[in-house]
């Protein structure tokens, strides 16, 4: 069997093995892992001599390890494995072991892990000598440990494995595992922790003589274990003094040396000791006893971190270790100060310590290496949060804390700056750039917090940075770099959060605050200093972003608009692709906001950018999907065209301003529309022949026409605030464009790209054509909703028609009446298509909802008559069929609820006025005693606006309310089901309000009777329906259905 297992492992891990044999080998190994007895063979394979191959031994030990961890073995079997492995360890890791016979590191780790799994099960009783056994292999005194490095390393591997298994707080554990681990730790405290600490002491006492690898392993063990053992086992002179000696090695010249590694390990050990959870007074005493402030000061002043700071020999690893130590220390001090239940002595002591550590914190926060800055951001965040709470409680900071704020704010601002070694926009630098922008986001949060602590200070510092950079630029300072200007513009952009806090830059034509006033000054200086002429692309982008963000400034300083537009025109022709494509979007934003102020320069602007309005479609490259870098996306043909569309919208905005004469608006429209329409017509024949680039060119042309229309008009008939409709002469030009698009659409309606572009153009042409689009509507529908259209396309077009119906209401009745049936037939065909996958299922749900929303829009906008007109009467039966189908779908509660809403709206519109119900109109079964009385009652008569609709509601809509409730899959406990029940209750009350007592009689004699509801619950239900308001009846109805077991009926007891 052992030869068979060995052979299977070799085959499975041999790269030259064929597929079938390799698959069989893997299957066999998986069977071995599950077999309850194969662990014995695998244990023998691991320990045998001569040794099997490395991979065979590793897989064999893994099988044993899995068997132990899975608790498949009894105590006797566990003890057998323990004895076998400890014997193997003594033979192979004892003092006489040959280095040539040593296991590899990953085998040693697996061995330590396996023995740890045994430890968890056996340490309480059968293996109480676990730590003694490993320590004896390492050596009982420092000299033997020095001689037996391999045994010592295995000892520390075991210590680390035990910690990871029972004390690592990052590992999720069950309650049972937590209890088990706590019991094991209690046993270890009683039996072994003192001896383990003595072994650390013995090794550290000889740290200059013992192998540095062992010292490093010892330090890591102390760092891990200190979080849960008695602090006195670590904080004593026998351990702390060697740690101080190791950490205090200031003469190390090589950051890659072994000495540097253990020095950094000692500093990390101090960091973990400081991070141990303790009571506030004890924690402060610990920081004092360890003299952390002295350690930080000594190391920070060391040549490696001071003299070599700006050189290539700067020891970043050492700096990061000290930064972690400072971060942990400040974190705990701030945490103590944030407590409300500490005494004054403790608070004062913590406050004094904090003042000592703030300079160290800012030293590493300001380091040019962003990794070091990120290391201390958590503690600086907590410090500023503490300051903010203090200000909130006291109104201001104490003087000594307030004195630290200028240094903190200045450090945050300066860290926002690109460092001298960084570049911008160069190929291969995308990751570094993304990391820096992520750091800027974190710094921005710190800056926001600082502003809540001392806003005036931040206004002064931010403003000083901006003004200083602009002044240096105007004075021609040759030392000024793009990094200085980028920092100034970045701070200026963020400054808006202070300036715009009061609702905008201006209030009653005056600056709204001090921050607004300062920002307005900065913008004026930026424009007047001609910063837009600075050649670096980062500065050009920031300049445009600021102009767009603070557009209200230009409304009050319109004399600066022409020069700013000249800069934009230059940027949109930039050779730098990122500047060029981003500027197209920003130019559009700037123009759209200031469209009423740019009419006097519209002609020159349109002529200046006309060369950018030529469209040249490019098919996507095959490798485009594989390259996801930001630069590649910026330069892709699709992205460039998407940005180019903003230019068409911007031209529409410029050309349609009120100050431009109508005849000139027409000229502008013709100059753009004409070439696009000609281009479309020229590409139709190649597109029909299968030329995909021609199809894409037509897509682009149609999209450009629609986007131009969007720029020309914001008019929306349903929104009075959207402004006036365009002049008829302008509208005519776009009607001509529409007449060009439609035959192209009809010829290429099998192309999804063309249909998509047409759908987009249609939605935007509505604003410029208004009711004139009605005459074309059948052709738009025929083209956009072809036989090739997907459910998603149909749903999207339904949303567009919602806008048309809502916007034009009664004006659209005639055209809607003529096209409703063919249009809905296409919708019904989409609803009936088979589902072929998850995406298709999602699209079907969306189509159902959009279809029902369309019906609601039609009904709610006084167009319900179109549904039952002579033209569409036959289609109404199909509509009812869809409603009945949707209300029975237990897999889609939201659609069922929406279908019930449609039915209720029909009842409200066609049911006529409400019937007056009184206590005397409640129907009961006539008896001899009540016959005379009931014959004198006058029953209210329904008067539906649609003849016979009262009976229709009862016979067709009322059954819908029980359809889903009576299905086996319905559960009243689900939240969405309870929402459905509320809709059902509402529909029933609406039917009652319109149909009156006959509905109650129908429920009593037909529906409730058919469902088997007992007489008493039936009468209770009818009285509740007739006598309660909607809110109360919804509550009653939900309880009634729940008592009935989730459905509408019962077992003869009904709701009982």
């Amino acid at each position: 069997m052992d030869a068979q297992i060995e052979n299977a492992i070799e085959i499975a891990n041999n790269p030259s093995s064929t597929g079938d044999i390799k698959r069989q080998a893997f299957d066999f190994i998986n069977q071995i892992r599950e077999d309850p007895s194969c662990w014995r063979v695998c244990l023998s394979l691991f320990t045998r001599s001569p040794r099997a191959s490395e991979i065979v031994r590793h897989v064999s030990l893994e099988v044993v390890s899995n068997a132990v961890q899975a608790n498949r073995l009894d105590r006797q079997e566990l003890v057998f494995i323990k004895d076998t492995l400890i014997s193997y360890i003594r033979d192979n890791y004892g003092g006489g072991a040959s280095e040539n016979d040593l296991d590899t590191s990953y085998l040693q780790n697996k061995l330590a892990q396996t023995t740890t799994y045994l430890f968890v099960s056996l340490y309480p009783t059968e293996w109480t000598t676990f730590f003694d056994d490993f320590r004896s292999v390492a050596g009982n005194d420092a000299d033997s440990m020095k001689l037996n490095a391999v045994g010592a390393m295995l000892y520390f591997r075991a210590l680390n494995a035990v910690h990871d298994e029972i004390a690592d707080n990052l590992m999720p554990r069950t309650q049972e595992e937590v209890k088990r681990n706590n019991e094991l730790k209690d046993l270890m405290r009683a039996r072994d922790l003192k001896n383990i600490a003595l072994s650390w002491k013995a090794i550290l006492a000889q740290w200059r003589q013992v192998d540095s690898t062992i010292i490093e392993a010892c330090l890591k063990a102390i760092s891990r274990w200190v979080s849960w053992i008695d602090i006195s086992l670590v904080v004593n002179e026998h351990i702390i003094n060697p740690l101080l000696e190791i950490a205090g090695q200031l003469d190390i010249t090589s950051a890659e040396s072994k000495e540097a590694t253990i020095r950094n390990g000692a500093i990390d050990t101090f960091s973990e000791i400081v991070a141990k959870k303790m009571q506030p007074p004890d924690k402060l005493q610990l920081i004092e006893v360890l003299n952390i402030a002295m350690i930080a000061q000594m190391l920070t002043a060391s040549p490696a971190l001071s003299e070599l700071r700006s050189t290539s020999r700067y020891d970043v690893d050492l700096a990061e270790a000290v930064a972690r130590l400072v971060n942990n220390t400040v974190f705990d001090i701030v945490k103590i100060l944030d407590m409300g239940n500490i005494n004054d002595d403790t608070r004062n002591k913590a406050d004094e310590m904090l003042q000592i550590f703030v300079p160290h914190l800012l030293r590493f926060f300001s380091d040019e290496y962003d990794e070091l800055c990120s290391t201390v951001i958590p503690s600086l965040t907590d410090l500023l949060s503490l300051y903010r709470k203090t200000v909130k409680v006291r109104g201001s900071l104490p003087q000594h804390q307030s004195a630290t704020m200028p240094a903190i704010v200045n450090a945050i601002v300066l860290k926002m700056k690109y460092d001298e070694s960084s570049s911008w926009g160069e190929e291969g630098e995308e990751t570094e750039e993304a990391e820096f922008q992520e750091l800027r986001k974190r710094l921005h949060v710190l800056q926001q917090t600082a502003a809540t602590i001392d806003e005036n200070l931040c206004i002064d510092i931010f403003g000083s940075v901006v003004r200083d950079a602009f002044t240096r630029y105007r004075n021609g300072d040759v030392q000024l770099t793009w990094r200085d200007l980028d920092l100034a513009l970045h701070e200026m952009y963020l400054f808006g959060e202070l300036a715009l806090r009061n609702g905008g830059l201006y209030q009653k034509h005056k600056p709204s605050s001090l921050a607004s006033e300062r920002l307005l000054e900065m913008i004026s200086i930026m424009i007047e200093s001609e910063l837009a002429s600075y050649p670096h692309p980062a500065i050009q982008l920031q300049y445009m972003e600021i102009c767009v963000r603070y557009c209200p400034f230009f409304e009050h300083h319109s004399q600066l608009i022409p020069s700013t537009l000249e800069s934009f025109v230059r940027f949109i022709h930039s050779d730098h692709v990122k500047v060029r494509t981003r500027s197209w979007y920003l130019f559009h934003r700037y123009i759209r906001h200031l469209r009423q102020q740019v009419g006097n320069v519209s002609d020159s602007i349109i002529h200046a950018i006309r060369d950018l309005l030529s469209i040249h479609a490019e098919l996507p490259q095959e490798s485009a999907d594989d390259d996801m870098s930001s630069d590649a996306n910026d330069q892709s043909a699709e992205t460039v065209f998407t940005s180019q569309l903003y230019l068409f919208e911007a031209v529409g905005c410029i050309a349609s301003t009120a100050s431009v004469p109508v005849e000139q608006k027409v000229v502008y429209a013709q100059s753009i529309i004409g070439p696009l329409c000609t281009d479309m017509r020229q590409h139709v024949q190649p597109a029909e022949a299968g030329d995909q680039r021609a199809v894409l060119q037509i897509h682009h042309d149609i999209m450009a026409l629609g986007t131009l229309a969007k720029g020309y008009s914001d008019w929306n008939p349903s929104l009075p605030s959207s402004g006036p409709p365009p002049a008829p002469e302008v509208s005519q030009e776009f009607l001509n464009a529409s007449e060009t698009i439609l035959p192209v659409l009809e010829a290429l309606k099998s192309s999804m790209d063309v249909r998509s572009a047409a759908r987009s153009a249609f939605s935007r042409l509505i604003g410029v054509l208004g009711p004139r689009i009605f005459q074309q509507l059948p052709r738009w529908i025929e083209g956009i909703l072809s036989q090739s259209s997907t459910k998603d396309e149909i749903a999207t077009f339904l949303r567009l028609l919602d806008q048309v119906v809502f916007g034009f209401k009664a004006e659209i009745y005639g055209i809607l009446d003529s096209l409703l049936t063919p249009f809905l037939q296409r919708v019904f065909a989409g609803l009936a298509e088979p589902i072929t996958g998850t995406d298709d299922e999602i699209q079907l749900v969306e189509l159902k909802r959009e279809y029902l929303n369309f019906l609601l829009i039609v009904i709610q906008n006084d167009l319900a008559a179109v549904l039952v007109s002579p033209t569409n009467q036959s289609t109404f039966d199909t509509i009812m069929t869809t409603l009945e189908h949707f209300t029975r779908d237990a897999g889609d509660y939201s659609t069922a609820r929406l279908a019930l809403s449609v039915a209720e709206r029909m009842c409200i519109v066609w049911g006529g006025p409400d019937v007056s119900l009184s206590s005397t109109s409640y129907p009961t079964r006539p008896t001899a005693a009540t016959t005379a009385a009931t014959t004198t009652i006058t029953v209210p008569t329904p008067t539906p606006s649609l003849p016979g609709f009262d009976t229709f509601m009862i016979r067709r809509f009322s059954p819908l309310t029980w359809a889903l409730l009576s299905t086996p899959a319905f559960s009243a406990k689900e939240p969405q089901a309870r929402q459905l029940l509320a809709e059902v209750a509402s529909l029933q009350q609406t039917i009652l309000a319109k149909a009156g007592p006959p509905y109650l009689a129908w429920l009593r004699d037909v529906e409730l009777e058919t469902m088997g509801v007992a007489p008493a619950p039936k009468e209770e239900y009818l009285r509740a329906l007739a006598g309660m308001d909607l809110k109360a009846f919804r509550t009653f109805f939900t309880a009634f259905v729940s008592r009935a077991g989730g459905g509408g009926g019962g077992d003869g007891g009904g709701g009982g």
Side-chain angles (χ1 to χ4, degrees):
M1 183 67 174
D2 54 347
Q4 192 177 2
I5 293 175
E6 184 175 3
N7 190 38
I9 296 172
E10 293 283 9
I11 292 173
N13 292 275
N14 188 343
S16 62
S17 299
T18 60
D20 290 340
I21 297 177
K22 200 164 194 171
R23 188 161 47 251
Q24 293 174 18
F26 274 117
D27 292 341
F28 182 69
I29 293 171
N30 289 331
Q31 293 174 14
I32 292 170
R33 288 192 171 100
E34 299 301 323
D35 193 299
S37 60
C38 281
W39 64 268
R40 290 182 180 276
V41 181
C42 291
L43 181 63
S44 175
L45 276 174
F46 173 73
T47 59
R48 82 176 188 193
S49 183
R51 292 181 174 182
S53 68
E54 197 75 20
I55 187 62
V56 170
R57 299 183 68 224
H58 185 273
V59 174
S60 299
L61 186 56
E62 187 179 36
V63 171
V64 176
S65 182
N66 290 342
V68 175
Q69 186 187 23
N71 296 320
R72 293 200 296 259
L73 309 179
D74 59 29
R75 311 297 291 185
Q76 185 177 356
E77 291 171 324
L78 291 172
V79 171
F80 174 76
I81 296 173
K82 181 266 291 186
D83 291 340
T84 303
L85 290 181
I86 202 66
S87 176
Y88 171 84
I89 289 170
R90 286 173 180 147
D91 292 342
N92 290 273
Y93 290 85
S98 168
E99 294 224 359
N100 295 328
D101 295 333
L102 289 180
D103 295 324
T104 57
S105 294
Y106 72 85
L107 259 182
Q108 291 185 42
N109 289 333
K110 177 59 70 175
L111 180 59
Q113 184 187 56
T114 305
T115 54
T116 297
Y117 293 150
L118 291 167
F119 162 85
V120 170
S121 299
L122 300 178
Y123 181 70
T125 52
E126 290 89 346
W127 201 0
T128 60
T129 61
F130 175 87
F131 295 104
D132 292 334
D133 290 341
F134 277 95
R135 201 162 50 247
S136 67
V137 174
N140 282 324
D141 54 57
D143 290 337
S144 61
M145 282 186 181
K146 177 181 178 183
L147 294 174
N148 187 19
V150 294
M153 286 304 299
L154 186 64
Y155 169 56
F156 285 118
R157 290 182 197 274
L159 289 184
N160 291 335
V162 168
H163 167 82
D164 292 345
E165 181 64 23
I166 70 170
D168 188 348
N169 292 327
L170 298 178
M171 291 290 291
R173 308 183 194 280
T174 66
Q175 287 297 320
E176 291 181 0
E177 289 173 333
V178 171
K179 180 182 178 183
R180 178 204 69 186
N181 293 345
N182 288 336
E183 291 172 351
L184 287 172
K185 285 189 279 190
D186 288 341
L187 282 174
M188 291 166 61
R189 291 184 181 104
R191 294 176 183 171
D192 289 297
L193 283 184
K194 186 175 292 186
N195 289 332
I196 292 172
L198 288 174
S199 72
W200 297 339
K201 166 192 167 185
I203 291 175
L204 291 178
Q206 302 293 323
W207 71 271
R208 294 184 186 276
Q209 290 76 41
V210 176
D211 187 282
S212 61
T213 306
I214 297 176
I215 298 299
E216 183 183 1
C218 180
L219 293 173
K220 286 183 179 178
I222 296 173
S223 297
R224 294 188 181 192
W225 285 56
V226 71
S227 64
W228 59 275
I229 65 175
D230 189 334
I231 190 66
S232 64
L233 295 175
V234 174
V235 181
N236 57 68
E237 60 180 346
H238 304 295
I239 289 182
I240 295 302
N241 288 343
L243 284 179
L244 287 170
E245 292 178 17
I246 298 171
Q249 299 177 88
L250 305 182
D251 55 348
I252 297 175
T253 56
S254 173
E256 289 77 29
S257 65
K258 291 184 177 180
E259 292 81 3
T261 300
I262 64 169
R263 177 200 59 198
N264 296 345
I267 298 169
D268 285 338
T269 304
F270 276 117
S271 296
E272 295 303 322
I273 295 172
V274 168
K276 182 177 177 62
K277 293 181 180 179
M278 303 172 69
Q279 292 296 317
D282 297 334
K283 175 56 66 77
L284 296 178
Q285 185 180 7
L286 175 67
I287 295 171
E288 204 168 41
V289 168
L290 296 178
N291 210 347
I292 301 298
M294 181 274 292
I295 295 174
Q297 175 62 38
M298 175 185 67
L299 292 171
T300 303
S302 67
L305 298 189
S306 57
E307 297 172 11
L308 303 177
R309 181 173 179 180
S310 299
T311 72
S312 59
R313 296 170 58 198
Y314 183 48
D315 194 338
V316 181
D317 292 335
L318 172 60
E320 191 166 1
V322 181
R324 280 195 296 269
L325 177 61
V326 171
N327 182 72
N328 285 2
T329 306
V330 174
F331 175 84
D332 280 332
I333 294 173
V334 171
K335 186 177 180 181
I336 291 171
L337 287 169
D338 201 26
M339 294 179 178
N341 56 350
I342 58 173
N343 58 45
D344 290 342
D345 290 340
T346 301
R347 185 176 298 280
N348 292 336
K349 188 173 184 180
D351 200 11
E352 291 174 6
M353 284 188 175
L354 181 61
Q355 303 311 307
I356 294 172
F357 277 96
V358 166
H360 297 309
L361 179 68
L362 295 180
R363 152 66 179 86
F364 292 103
F365 177 82
S366 304
D367 197 281
E368 66 177 290
Y369 284 89
D370 294 342
E371 301 92 328
L372 303 184
C373 173
S374 297
T375 300
V376 297
I377 280 180
S379 57
L380 183 57
T381 301
D382 290 342
L383 174 63
L384 290 175
S385 296
L386 173 69
Y387 282 4
R388 180 173 58 188
K389 291 179 182 177
T390 303
V391 170
K392 190 173 182 180
V393 173
R394 296 184 40 168
S396 63
L397 288 176
Q399 179 60 37
H400 65 284
Q401 292 181 348
S402 181
T404 64
M405 282 299 296
I408 292 174
V409 176
N410 275 304
I412 295 171
V413 171
L414 291 178
K415 195 59 194 173
M416 292 268 196
K417 182 180 176 182
Y418 281 93
D419 62 50
E420 297 302 319
S421 64
S422 63
S423 56
W424 188 95
E426 292 186 7
E427 189 173 349
E429 301 290 337
E430 295 87 354
T431 301
E432 186 175 331
E433 173 69 16
E435 290 173 350
F436 178 65
Q437 294 305 326
E438 190 60 34
L439 176 63
R440 271 188 165 179
K441 291 177 183 177
R442 300 177 68 188
L443 296 171
H444 179 209
V445 173
L446 294 175
Q447 195 165 286
Q448 287 176 308
T449 307
T452 63
I453 298 167
D454 193 335
E455 181 173 317
N456 288 336
L457 172 68
C458 290
I459 289 174
D460 290 341
I461 291 177
F462 302 160
S464 175
V465 169
V466 175
R467 286 192 301 273
D468 177 64
F470 289 170
T471 301
R472 291 174 63 192
Y473 176 70
R474 286 195 298 182
N475 294 338
D477 187 344
V478 295
Q479 301 297 320
L480 182 74
T481 69
W482 70 267
R483 298 174 181 86
D484 300 309
L485 290 173
D486 174 82
L487 174 64
L489 293 174
H490 183 67
E491 286 298 335
M492 191 171 162
Y493 187 87
L494 299 180
F495 203 93
E497 294 181 359
L498 297 175
L500 302 174
R501 188 177 296 171
N502 296 322
L505 288 175
Y506 295 92
Q507 286 185 355
K508 297 180 179 179
H509 303 289
K510 293 183 179 180
S512 59
S513 64
L514 174 63
S516 299
E517 183 179 344
R518 296 287 178 85
L519 178 59
L520 295 173
E521 293 171 1
M522 296 178 201
I523 299 172
S524 295
I525 297 173
M526 181 189 77
I527 303 295
E528 292 166 359
S529 63
E530 299 182 356
L531 188 62
S533 63
Y534 195 85
H536 197 279
I539 307 307
Q540 295 170 354
L541 285 171
Q542 290 267 41
Y543 180 92
M544 289 186 288
E545 297 281 0
I546 288 172
C547 289
V548 171
R549 183 171 196 187
Y550 304 125
C551 271
F553 167 85
F554 295 96
E555 292 176 351
H556 291 76
H557 299 80
S558 57
Q559 75 279 7
L560 297 177
I561 292 178
S563 62
T564 308
L565 283 174
E566 288 179 13
S567 300
F568 269 101
V569 169
R570 188 169 65 254
F571 295 148
I572 64 179
H573 288 88
S574 171
D575 294 331
H576 195 286
V577 64
K578 192 170 184 179
V579 173
R580 185 170 66 251
T581 53
R582 180 65 178 169
S583 67
W584 293 349
Y585 166 73
L586 294 172
F587 175 68
H588 145 262
R589 287 274 310 278
Y590 186 78
I591 290 294
R592 177 162 281 281
H593 190 95
L594 298 172
R595 63 192 305 175
Q596 300 305 324
Q597 281 83 18
V598 299
N600 57 331
V601 291
S602 57
D603 190 68
S604 58
I605 295 174
I606 292 174
H607 280 87
I609 66 174
R610 186 183 298 279
D611 59 311
L612 297 174
L613 302 180
S614 291
I615 294 175
H616 303 285
E618 297 179 26
L619 292 173
Q621 299 296 319
E622 292 182 3
S623 60
D625 292 338
D626 300 327
D627 188 356
M628 296 303 292
S629 71
S630 58
D631 265 12
N633 285 340
D634 282 344
Q635 298 179 49
S636 70
E638 181 182 358
T639 303
V640 170
F641 174 67
T642 300
S643 298
Q644 188 181 16
L645 287 177
Y646 290 116
L647 291 178
F648 284 93
E649 185 173 347
V651 167
C653 290
I654 298 169
S656 60
T657 57
S659 59
V660 175
V662 171
E663 58 273 14
Q664 193 61 40
K665 292 178 182 178
V666 172
V667 170
Y668 291 146
Q670 290 172 341
S671 67
I672 307 299
I673 293 173
L676 291 173
C677 290
T678 301
D679 190 55
M680 261 195 299
R681 286 189 288 265
Q682 291 173 347
H683 283 86
V684 171
Q685 188 172 352
E688 288 181 306
D691 185 337
Q692 291 304 306
R693 201 206 71 81
V695 172
L696 190 61
Q697 182 74 22
I698 290 172
H699 165 275
H700 287 9
D701 288 335
I702 296 173
M703 290 291 294
L705 285 169
T707 308
L708 179 69
K710 180 183 177 184
Y712 253 91
S713 176
D714 290 328
W715 177 66
N716 186 326
S718 61
L719 296 176
S721 60
S722 62
E729 296 89 339
V730 174
S731 180
Q732 182 61 47
E733 296 304 320
F734 284 97
L735 186 64
N736 297 338
S738 181
E739 291 291 352
T740 303
I741 294 173
L742 284 170
V744 175
L745 172 61
E746 289 162 350
L748 299 172
K749 63 183 179 182
S750 61
S751 167
M752 180 180 288
D753 283 341
V754 173
R755 294 197 306 269
S756 173
R759 189 170 60 246
S760 174
F762 172 79
S763 68
R764 293 164 176 186
L765 286 168
I766 294 171
V768 289
L769 297 183
R772 302 174 78 170
I773 203 170
F774 295 165
Q775 57 187 304
Q776 300 176 337
L777 196 52
R779 296 178 67 189
W780 283 106
I781 293 175
E782 178 65 25
I784 293 174
L785 299 186
S786 71
Q787 295 302 314
S788 307
S789 297
T790 64
K791 297 180 183 67
D792 185 55
E793 289 182 85
I794 300 172
T796 303
F797 193 71
L798 278 166
R799 284 195 289 271
L800 290 180
L801 282 187
D802 289 347
Q803 298 176 23
V804 175
V805 172
F806 181 76
F808 296 100
K809 296 181 173 58
E811 292 180 78
I812 200 176
Y813 181 90
I815 189 68
L816 186 61
D817 184 48
S818 63
L819 62 80
L820 183 67
T821 291
F823 170 64
L824 288 183
Q825 291 299 333
R826 186 65 194 92
V827 175
F828 296 150
L831 291 170
E833 288 175 359
I835 302 299
T836 57
T838 303
D839 290 344
D840 215 23
E841 187 174 354
I842 293 172
Q843 288 184 13
L844 176 61
V845 171
E846 186 65 20
L847 176 56
K848 287 192 286 188
R849 291 176 187 167
E850 291 304 328
Y851 159 67
L852 294 171
N853 276 323
F854 173 72
L855 294 179
L856 281 173
I857 291 290
V858 169
I859 296 169
Q860 291 170 346
N861 286 276
D862 300 325
L863 293 169
V866 77
L867 299 176
V868 291
S869 70
T871 309
N872 302 304
Q873 183 64 57
S874 59
T875 304
F876 185 74
D877 291 335
T878 310
I879 292 174
M880 283 303 305
T881 302
T882 59
L883 296 181
E884 290 166 352
H885 175 71
F886 295 158
T887 54
R888 290 189 177 92
D889 188 358
D892 190 357
Y893 285 135
S894 59
T895 300
R897 185 158 44 92
L898 196 55
L900 292 170
S901 296
V902 173
E904 185 175 8
R905 291 305 304 177
M906 289 180 177
C907 294
I908 293 171
V909 172
W910 292 323
D914 289 357
V915 173
S916 176
L917 292 175
S918 65
S919 60
T920 58
S921 64
Y922 173 73
T924 58
R925 292 186 184 276
T927 64
T930 62
T931 299
T934 56
T935 57
T936 62
I937 296 175
T938 301
V939 178
T941 303
T943 54
S945 58
L946 199 64
F949 194 72
D950 53 333
T951 304
F952 185 91
M953 287 188 293
I954 294 173
R955 295 182 179 274
R956 295 294 296 272
F957 285 160
S958 183
L960 299 183
T961 63
W962 307 105
L964 182 56
L965 278 56
S966 57
T967 60
F970 180 79
S971 172
K973 295 180 180 179
E974 296 183 31
Q976 284 194 327
R978 301 181 86 82
Q979 294 176 0
L980 177 74
L981 292 175
E983 200 66 50
V984 169
S986 179
L987 177 54
Q988 287 194 354
Q989 284 217 331
T990 300
I991 296 174
L992 177 61
K994 302 300 181 183
Y999 179 47
L1000 295 172
W1002 170 268
L1003 286 171
R1004 183 195 64 204
D1005 299 337
V1006 180
E1007 292 185 353
L1008 297 177
E1009 186 73 23
T1010 303
M1011 290 186 291
V1013 180
K1018 185 190 302 183
E1019 297 302 315
E1020 178 192 12
Y1021 183 85
L1022 296 174
R1023 290 187 183 278
L1025 175 60
M1028 291 181 175
D1029 62 19
L1030 179 57
K1031 183 178 180 180
F1033 181 64
R1034 279 176 169 170
T1035 304
F1036 169 84
F1037 184 73
T1038 302
F1040 179 84
V1041 173
S1042 299
R1043 290 199 307 270
D1051 57 357

